[in-house]
Amino acid sequence: FRKKKLKPKIAIYSNEGWSIGRIHDSIIEYLSNDYDFKFFNWHNNNDNLEFNSTWNDYDAILSNGTISKLNDKTDPNFYKKAICVSWAEPNLEGGYFIELIGDNPDILWGAPTLDIQKSLKDLFNINAMSVIAGVNKKDFFPTRKINKITTLGLSGRPGTHDGWDYIKRPGMMKNIALNANIKYEFIHSKSSNEHHNLYKDIDMYICTSRSEAGPYGIAEAAFCKIPVISTPVGYALKFKSIKTFTTVDEAVSIINDLNSHPKKLEKYINDVYEELTRNLNWKHVAKTYWKPLIEKRLNSNKT
């Protein structure tokens, strides 16, 4: 009789509305043959109590940069299990980014894009593996003409502050809509159950940010077959098919060009969709990025 080998136990500590919490179900789905996962929602009191009393039973703890702020009240061994993914590019001009970055040498860091990985190294001397999110199943909301643009978050989002607005630049979004003579809307989700319906009433997703970890809204909209354009940050730099702009006039020119003929808009939508789904499907991402990150953490604790 051969004893069955136990799989490593991985705790995912986040919340369902943001960061790893939004994609934890996909990580579990594609890596459950290799690891035993348990998700803890830090907005749930019972989950917090259980996590605080059982974290040492896990071989690794997958979370985001916020967990690095616990280092003044946590067992030092906790950080030898921690895998922290920094989803925002660190910015020395905004405390919001700095407070998420810890200097604990035991923490293993990951980063969604190579840009963020480089920033972590340049600004904080943190070596991070590159990790990107994958594709979840989405509904298609095809459009024939761009009459309304949007971006995710910003206006109406809890916790929005001056530093956030400086990075996300909602004013630029408004000026693009004004100059293109089209409508605009800022949207945000209240629960994870709403994500697949976020974009159904808009015709284009626009990212106007100065720096980005993605944003994942670009991918989500593209998977719904909604056209996306962006400033040259995050995903827009990673994928060649995404049109980029640096000024309001450039963004308006792109919109007008795509609106000039339905076939031109359709081709652009399909080009972006095909490139992103080819490179961000979850089976590929889980095996190529997330598993090596987890294995590096597990191997670092072997004696």
Side-chain angles (χ1 to χ4, degrees):
F1 178 77
R2 180 177 294 178
K3 187 177 180 181
K4 185 178 180 180
K5 184 179 179 181
L6 295 177
K7 293 184 287 188
K9 296 178 63 178
I10 311 296
I12 301 179
Y13 186 56
S14 185
N15 70 80
E16 291 184 332
W18 183 68
S19 188
I20 294 173
R22 290 187 63 179
I23 61 175
H24 76 276
D25 54 346
S26 297
I27 295 174
I28 293 172
E29 178 182 356
Y30 286 97
L31 294 180
S32 60
N33 289 334
D34 302 306
Y35 314 106
D36 281 328
F37 289 98
K38 170 72 173 180
F39 176 73
F40 297 92
N41 184 347
W42 64 37
H43 286 165
N44 183 293
N45 289 334
N46 290 332
D47 278 14
N48 273 315
L49 289 173
E50 183 180 353
F51 177 76
N52 289 333
S53 63
T54 63
W55 65 262
N56 202 36
D57 297 335
Y58 291 88
D59 299 294
I61 300 166
L62 182 61
S63 187
N64 58 39
T66 306
I67 207 170
S68 68
K69 296 191 292 184
L70 299 176
N71 58 10
D72 60 339
K73 55 184 177 183
T74 306
D75 186 326
N77 291 323
F78 175 87
Y79 295 104
K80 294 180 180 179
K81 299 174 181 283
I83 304 171
C84 293
V85 179
S86 177
W87 295 89
E89 187 170 346
N91 187 325
L92 292 177
E93 297 180 23
Y96 171 80
F97 296 93
I98 295 175
E99 70 182 13
L100 297 183
I101 307 299
D103 58 0
N104 192 312
D106 290 326
I107 295 176
L108 174 63
W109 287 87
T113 68
L114 294 176
D115 288 339
I116 296 174
Q117 183 178 357
K118 184 177 185 301
S119 294
L120 288 172
K121 178 65 176 177
D122 292 345
L123 297 178
F124 300 98
N125 198 30
I126 294 174
N127 289 310
M129 296 180 67
S130 181
V131 179
I132 58 177
V135 174
N136 287 314
K137 295 177 181 178
K138 301 292 175 185
D139 294 326
F140 285 175
F141 307 130
T143 182
R144 293 182 179 274
K145 190 172 183 180
I146 301 165
N147 295 306
K148 186 178 181 181
I149 60 176
T150 193
T151 195
L152 187 63
L154 299 169
S155 180
R157 174 175 178 150
T160 299
H161 50 74
D162 291 342
W164 186 275
D165 288 347
Y166 170 79
I167 296 295
K168 303 295 183 179
R169 296 195 288 186
M172 189 177 196
M173 261 283 296
K174 296 177 182 178
N175 287 332
I176 291 171
L178 179 65
N179 284 272
N181 195 28
I182 54 180
K183 299 176 181 178
Y184 72 90
E185 179 182 7
F186 297 124
I187 58 175
H188 66 285
S189 61
K190 297 179 181 178
S191 72
S192 57
N193 295 329
E194 296 181 3
H195 293 333
H196 69 290
N197 282 319
L198 280 176
Y199 309 100
K200 66 186 304 179
D201 295 324
I202 57 96
D203 304 319
M204 171 176 274
Y205 180 98
I206 298 183
C207 170
T208 54
S209 300
R210 295 181 186 274
S211 62
E212 276 291 351
Y216 202 55
I218 284 180
E220 289 178 334
F223 303 148
C224 298
K225 288 203 169 179
I226 291 172
V228 298
I229 63 174
S230 174
T231 47
V233 297
Y235 281 150
L237 291 175
K238 183 176 180 64
F239 299 109
K240 296 179 180 179
S241 60
I242 297 175
K243 294 183 180 293
T244 61
F245 61 90
T246 57
T247 67
V248 169
D249 288 343
E250 288 175 356
V252 172
S253 177
I254 293 172
I255 293 171
N256 289 339
D257 182 57
L258 292 175
N259 267 341
S260 65
H261 197 283
K263 289 293 184 182
K264 181 174 288 190
L265 178 58
E266 181 181 359
K267 183 180 185 303
Y268 178 62
I269 290 171
N270 289 332
D271 286 348
V272 175
Y273 174 82
E274 290 171 6
E275 184 181 12
L276 267 67
T277 51
R278 183 172 62 250
N279 290 281
L280 292 182
N281 72 81
W282 260 109
K283 185 176 181 179
H284 168 76
V285 170
K287 299 294 184 181
T288 306
Y289 297 95
W290 289 99
K291 186 173 182 179
L293 188 65
I294 293 172
E295 286 298 311
K296 185 174 182 179
R297 175 80 287 177
L298 296 175
N299 290 332
S300 71
N301 290 328
K302 289 180 179 179
T303 56

